[in-house]
């Protein structure tokens, strides 16, 4: 294994074993359950909002390593940002770039699970 692959693998395994923002926020304002239709894996995202700011966000998942690690990355990425700015600027490639892994189309569905679920919370609730 070359050095870059080793570093990527160590980074991904660390996020998988020590996920960021994992669990349920006690006083969340919105939540949504998402499902990957290809495998049936699920995620729940909870968000707490203060005015236009994502004050807190967390997730619970029953999914693969890619979906779990992507959820940590997504929640780190949006926490503390304004919803209006997120809706204008957040792209899936922001998450994909930080994942450091080239994704096949089926693995992209895994990585998109938290991203799509998060955007659905915003859209479904006219945030
Ligand atoms: Fe189900 Fe990745 S295999 S979310």
């Amino acid at each position: 294994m070359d050095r870059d692959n080793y570093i990527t693998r160590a980074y991904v395994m660390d996020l998988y074993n020590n996920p960021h923002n994992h669990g349920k926020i006690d006083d969340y304002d919105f939540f949504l359950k998402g499902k990957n239709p290809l495998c049936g894996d699920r995620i729940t995202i909870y968000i707490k909002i203060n005015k236009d700011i994502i004050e807190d966000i967390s997730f619970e998942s029953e999914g693969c390593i890619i979906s779990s690690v992507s959820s940590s990355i997504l929640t780190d990425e949006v926490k503390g940002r304004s919803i209006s700015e997120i809706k204008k600027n957040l792209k899936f490639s922001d998450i994909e770039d930080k994942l450091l892994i080239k994704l096949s189309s089926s693995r992209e569905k895994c990585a998109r699970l938290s991203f799509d679920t998060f955007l659905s919370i915003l859209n479904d609730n006219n945030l």
Side-chain angles (χ1 to χ4, degrees):
M1 184 183 304
D2 69 32
R3 184 175 175 277
D4 287 348
N5 278 342
Y6 177 79
I7 290 169
T8 298
R9 190 174 185 155
Y11 161 75
V12 167
M13 287 311 297
D14 184 55
L15 264 186
Y16 182 62
N17 290 321
N18 305 289
H20 299 179
N21 310 304
H22 188 260
K24 184 178 177 182
I25 301 169
D26 287 335
D27 54 348
Y28 62 86
D29 296 307
F30 300 95
F31 80 100
L32 188 66
K33 294 175 185 287
K35 181 178 170 185
N36 182 341
L38 295 181
C39 63
D41 287 344
R42 297 168 189 275
I43 187 171
T44 306
I45 292 189
Y46 303 91
I47 62 174
K48 179 169 180 52
I49 294 170
N50 185 353
K51 297 182 180 142
D52 184 44
I53 303 292
I54 304 287
E55 186 173 282
D56 203 0
I57 179 167
S58 71
F59 73 97
E60 296 176 314
S61 72
E62 302 162 28
C64 66
I65 185 167
I66 299 292
S67 93
S68 176
V69 170
S70 299
S71 300
S72 285
I73 293 169
L74 170 84
T75 53
D76 280 344
E77 184 74 22
V78 301
K79 191 188 281 188
R81 287 170 65 181
S82 77
I83 293 170
S84 50
E85 184 271 322
I86 287 169
K87 288 179 91 168
K88 202 182 320 172
N89 296 320
L90 184 70
K91 302 177 296 301
F92 177 66
S93 60
D94 299 334
I95 310 306
E96 194 176 17
D97 289 349
K98 290 187 173 169
L99 194 53
L100 305 178
I101 297 172
K102 180 127 179 69
L103 298 169
S104 65
S105 58
S106 64
R107 286 316 220 169
E108 185 176 322
K109 292 263 191 223
C110 305
R112 277 189 170 276
L113 182 55
S114 57
F115 181 83
D116 291 345
T117 302
F118 171 71
L119 289 185
S120 291
I121 293 176
L122 304 186
N123 293 331
D124 293 354
N125 296 287
N126 296 315
L127 297 174

